[in-house]
mmCIF file of all heavy atoms in Angstrom:
data_model
loop_
_atom_site.group_PDB
_atom_site.id
_atom_site.type_symbol
_atom_site.label_atom_id
_atom_site.label_comp_id
_atom_site.label_asym_id
_atom_site.label_seq_id
_atom_site.Cartn_x
_atom_site.Cartn_y
_atom_site.Cartn_z
ATOM 1 N N LEU Q 116 -22.728 30.815 -22.468
ATOM 2 C CA LEU Q 116 -23.167 30.323 -23.771
ATOM 3 C C LEU Q 116 -24.563 30.846 -24.102
ATOM 4 O O LEU Q 116 -24.885 31.105 -25.261
ATOM 5 C CB LEU Q 116 -23.159 28.789 -23.783
ATOM 6 C CG LEU Q 116 -23.339 28.101 -25.130
ATOM 7 C CD1 LEU Q 116 -22.208 28.457 -26.083
ATOM 8 C CD2 LEU Q 116 -23.407 26.587 -24.950
ATOM 9 N N ALA Q 117 -25.376 31.043 -23.053
ATOM 10 C CA ALA Q 117 -26.721 31.582 -23.237
ATOM 11 C C ALA Q 117 -26.746 33.108 -23.204
ATOM 12 O O ALA Q 117 -27.832 33.709 -23.188
ATOM 13 C CB ALA Q 117 -27.649 31.024 -22.160
ATOM 14 N N SER Q 118 -25.569 33.736 -23.164
ATOM 15 C CA SER Q 118 -25.425 35.206 -23.119
ATOM 16 C C SER Q 118 -26.058 35.825 -21.881
ATOM 17 O O SER Q 118 -26.480 36.984 -21.900
ATOM 18 C CB SER Q 118 -26.016 35.839 -24.385
ATOM 19 O OG SER Q 118 -25.294 35.411 -25.524
ATOM 20 N N ASP Q 119 -26.124 35.057 -20.786
ATOM 21 C CA ASP Q 119 -26.613 35.575 -19.509
ATOM 22 C C ASP Q 119 -25.406 36.061 -18.715
ATOM 23 O O ASP Q 119 -24.853 35.342 -17.875
ATOM 24 C CB ASP Q 119 -27.362 34.479 -18.747
ATOM 25 C CG ASP Q 119 -28.025 34.989 -17.481
ATOM 26 O OD1 ASP Q 119 -27.732 36.131 -17.064
ATOM 27 O OD2 ASP Q 119 -28.826 34.235 -16.888
ATOM 28 N N LEU Q 120 -24.979 37.301 -18.979
ATOM 29 C CA LEU Q 120 -23.755 37.811 -18.370
ATOM 30 C C LEU Q 120 -23.881 37.971 -16.864
ATOM 31 O O LEU Q 120 -22.900 37.803 -16.133
ATOM 32 C CB LEU Q 120 -23.371 39.148 -19.006
ATOM 33 C CG LEU Q 120 -22.927 39.101 -20.472
ATOM 34 C CD1 LEU Q 120 -22.433 40.483 -20.906
ATOM 35 C CD2 LEU Q 120 -21.843 38.070 -20.693
ATOM 36 N N CYS Q 121 -25.063 38.291 -16.388
ATOM 37 C CA CYS Q 121 -25.259 38.458 -14.946
ATOM 38 C C CYS Q 121 -24.987 37.144 -14.217
ATOM 39 O O CYS Q 121 -24.245 37.114 -13.237
ATOM 40 C CB CYS Q 121 -26.686 38.938 -14.666
ATOM 41 S SG CYS Q 121 -27.016 39.243 -12.909
ATOM 42 N N ALA Q 122 -25.560 36.049 -14.708
ATOM 43 C CA ALA Q 122 -25.344 34.742 -14.085
ATOM 44 C C ALA Q 122 -23.901 34.290 -14.257
ATOM 45 O O ALA Q 122 -23.317 33.682 -13.352
ATOM 46 C CB ALA Q 122 -26.305 33.714 -14.682
ATOM 47 N N ALA Q 123 -23.326 34.575 -15.422
ATOM 48 C CA ALA Q 123 -21.940 34.174 -15.668
ATOM 49 C C ALA Q 123 -20.987 34.915 -14.743
ATOM 50 O O ALA Q 123 -20.024 34.338 -14.218
ATOM 51 C CB ALA Q 123 -21.575 34.427 -17.129
ATOM 52 N N ARG Q 124 -21.241 36.228 -14.538
ATOM 53 C CA ARG Q 124 -20.389 37.001 -13.626
ATOM 54 C C ARG Q 124 -20.510 36.472 -12.192
ATOM 55 O O ARG Q 124 -19.520 36.405 -11.463
ATOM 56 C CB ARG Q 124 -20.777 38.481 -13.673
ATOM 57 C CG ARG Q 124 -20.346 39.184 -14.959
ATOM 58 C CD ARG Q 124 -20.654 40.670 -14.892
ATOM 59 N NE ARG Q 124 -20.244 41.359 -16.107
ATOM 60 C CZ ARG Q 124 -21.080 41.997 -16.921
ATOM 61 N NH1 ARG Q 124 -22.379 42.058 -16.627
ATOM 62 N NH2 ARG Q 124 -20.626 42.586 -18.015
ATOM 63 N N LYS Q 125 -21.718 36.121 -11.794
ATOM 64 C CA LYS Q 125 -21.911 35.576 -10.449
ATOM 65 C C LYS Q 125 -21.154 34.266 -10.291
ATOM 66 O O LYS Q 125 -20.522 34.015 -9.257
ATOM 67 C CB LYS Q 125 -23.404 35.362 -10.182
ATOM 68 C CG LYS Q 125 -23.709 34.858 -8.778
ATOM 69 C CD LYS Q 125 -25.202 34.737 -8.551
ATOM 70 C CE LYS Q 125 -25.505 34.235 -7.143
ATOM 71 N NZ LYS Q 125 -26.972 34.102 -6.909
ATOM 72 N N ALA Q 126 -21.203 33.411 -11.322
ATOM 73 C CA ALA Q 126 -20.517 32.124 -11.260
ATOM 74 C C ALA Q 126 -19.001 32.303 -11.237
ATOM 75 O O ALA Q 126 -18.295 31.637 -10.477
ATOM 76 C CB ALA Q 126 -20.936 31.253 -12.445
ATOM 77 N N VAL Q 127 -18.484 33.222 -12.053
ATOM 78 C CA VAL Q 127 -17.029 33.389 -12.123
ATOM 79 C C VAL Q 127 -16.491 34.060 -10.868
ATOM 80 O O VAL Q 127 -15.321 33.883 -10.515
ATOM 81 C CB VAL Q 127 -16.637 34.184 -13.391
ATOM 82 C CG1 VAL Q 127 -16.787 35.690 -13.191
ATOM 83 C CG2 VAL Q 127 -15.206 33.861 -13.823
ATOM 84 N N SER Q 128 -17.322 34.802 -10.152
ATOM 85 C CA SER Q 128 -16.876 35.460 -8.926
ATOM 86 C C SER Q 128 -16.486 34.455 -7.851
ATOM 87 O O SER Q 128 -15.770 34.786 -6.907
ATOM 88 C CB SER Q 128 -17.966 36.392 -8.381
ATOM 89 O OG SER Q 128 -19.065 35.647 -7.879
ATOM 90 N N LEU Q 129 -16.966 33.212 -7.979
ATOM 91 C CA LEU Q 129 -16.658 32.174 -6.993
ATOM 92 C C LEU Q 129 -15.279 31.573 -7.190
ATOM 93 O O LEU Q 129 -14.776 30.866 -6.304
ATOM 94 C CB LEU Q 129 -17.718 31.061 -7.063
ATOM 95 C CG LEU Q 129 -19.161 31.479 -6.795
ATOM 96 C CD1 LEU Q 129 -20.098 30.295 -6.995
ATOM 97 C CD2 LEU Q 129 -19.304 32.045 -5.388
ATOM 98 N N ILE Q 130 -14.649 31.832 -8.343
ATOM 99 C CA ILE Q 130 -13.366 31.180 -8.619
ATOM 100 C C ILE Q 130 -12.231 32.158 -8.930
ATOM 101 O O ILE Q 130 -11.089 31.725 -9.084
ATOM 102 C CB ILE Q 130 -13.496 30.169 -9.777
ATOM 103 C CG1 ILE Q 130 -14.045 30.835 -11.049
ATOM 104 C CG2 ILE Q 130 -14.359 28.990 -9.375
ATOM 105 C CD1 ILE Q 130 -14.066 29.919 -12.256
ATOM 106 N N VAL Q 131 -12.516 33.466 -9.024
ATOM 107 C CA VAL Q 131 -11.452 34.439 -9.292
ATOM 108 C C VAL Q 131 -11.559 35.600 -8.323
ATOM 109 O O VAL Q 131 -12.631 35.861 -7.761
ATOM 110 C CB VAL Q 131 -11.501 34.960 -10.749
ATOM 111 C CG1 VAL Q 131 -11.306 33.823 -11.741
ATOM 112 C CG2 VAL Q 131 -12.801 35.710 -11.027
ATOM 113 N N GLY Q 132 -10.449 36.325 -8.146
ATOM 114 C CA GLY Q 132 -10.432 37.452 -7.219
ATOM 115 C C GLY Q 132 -10.719 38.792 -7.863
ATOM 116 O O GLY Q 132 -10.985 39.760 -7.173
ATOM 117 N N ARG Q 133 -10.676 38.861 -9.193
ATOM 118 C CA ARG Q 133 -10.885 40.143 -9.874
ATOM 119 C C ARG Q 133 -12.347 40.560 -9.836
ATOM 120 O O ARG Q 133 -13.220 39.737 -9.551
ATOM 121 C CB ARG Q 133 -10.378 40.062 -11.311
ATOM 122 C CG ARG Q 133 -11.173 39.161 -12.224
ATOM 123 C CD ARG Q 133 -10.404 38.790 -13.480
ATOM 124 N NE ARG Q 133 -9.336 37.860 -13.201
ATOM 125 C CZ ARG Q 133 -8.630 37.230 -14.146
ATOM 126 N NH1 ARG Q 133 -8.871 37.472 -15.414
ATOM 127 N NH2 ARG Q 133 -7.685 36.389 -13.812
ATOM 128 N N ASP Q 134 -12.628 41.812 -10.111
ATOM 129 C CA ASP Q 134 -13.977 42.365 -10.037
ATOM 130 C C ASP Q 134 -14.815 41.846 -11.202
ATOM 131 O O ASP Q 134 -14.597 42.230 -12.357
ATOM 132 C CB ASP Q 134 -13.897 43.889 -10.084
ATOM 133 C CG ASP Q 134 -15.258 44.546 -9.917
ATOM 134 O OD1 ASP Q 134 -16.249 43.817 -9.729
ATOM 135 O OD2 ASP Q 134 -15.318 45.791 -9.981
ATOM 136 N N PRO Q 135 -15.808 40.981 -10.952
ATOM 137 C CA PRO Q 135 -16.581 40.408 -12.053
ATOM 138 C C PRO Q 135 -17.468 41.424 -12.758
ATOM 139 O O PRO Q 135 -17.805 41.253 -13.926
ATOM 140 C CB PRO Q 135 -17.422 39.320 -11.374
ATOM 141 C CG PRO Q 135 -17.541 39.766 -9.957
ATOM 142 C CD PRO Q 135 -16.251 40.457 -9.648
ATOM 143 N N ALA Q 136 -17.849 42.498 -12.061
ATOM 144 C CA ALA Q 136 -18.719 43.503 -12.677
ATOM 145 C C ALA Q 136 -18.037 44.206 -13.840
ATOM 146 O O ALA Q 136 -18.711 44.764 -14.710
ATOM 147 C CB ALA Q 136 -19.152 44.526 -11.627
ATOM 148 N N GLN Q 137 -16.702 44.171 -13.862
ATOM 149 C CA GLN Q 137 -15.952 44.837 -14.914
ATOM 150 C C GLN Q 137 -15.659 43.920 -16.103
ATOM 151 O O GLN Q 137 -15.049 44.358 -17.082
ATOM 152 C CB GLN Q 137 -14.616 45.349 -14.352
ATOM 153 C CG GLN Q 137 -14.749 46.266 -13.157
ATOM 154 C CD GLN Q 137 -15.355 47.600 -13.517
ATOM 155 O OE1 GLN Q 137 -15.210 48.079 -14.633
ATOM 156 N NE2 GLN Q 137 -16.053 48.211 -12.576
#
Side-chain angles (χ1 to χ4, degrees):
L116 191 62
S118 297
D119 186 348
L120 292 186
C121 182
R124 287 185 180 118
K125 183 177 180 180
V127 82
S128 70
L129 300 176
I130 56 174
V131 299
R133 68 198 72 170
D134 184 2
Q137 304 291 331

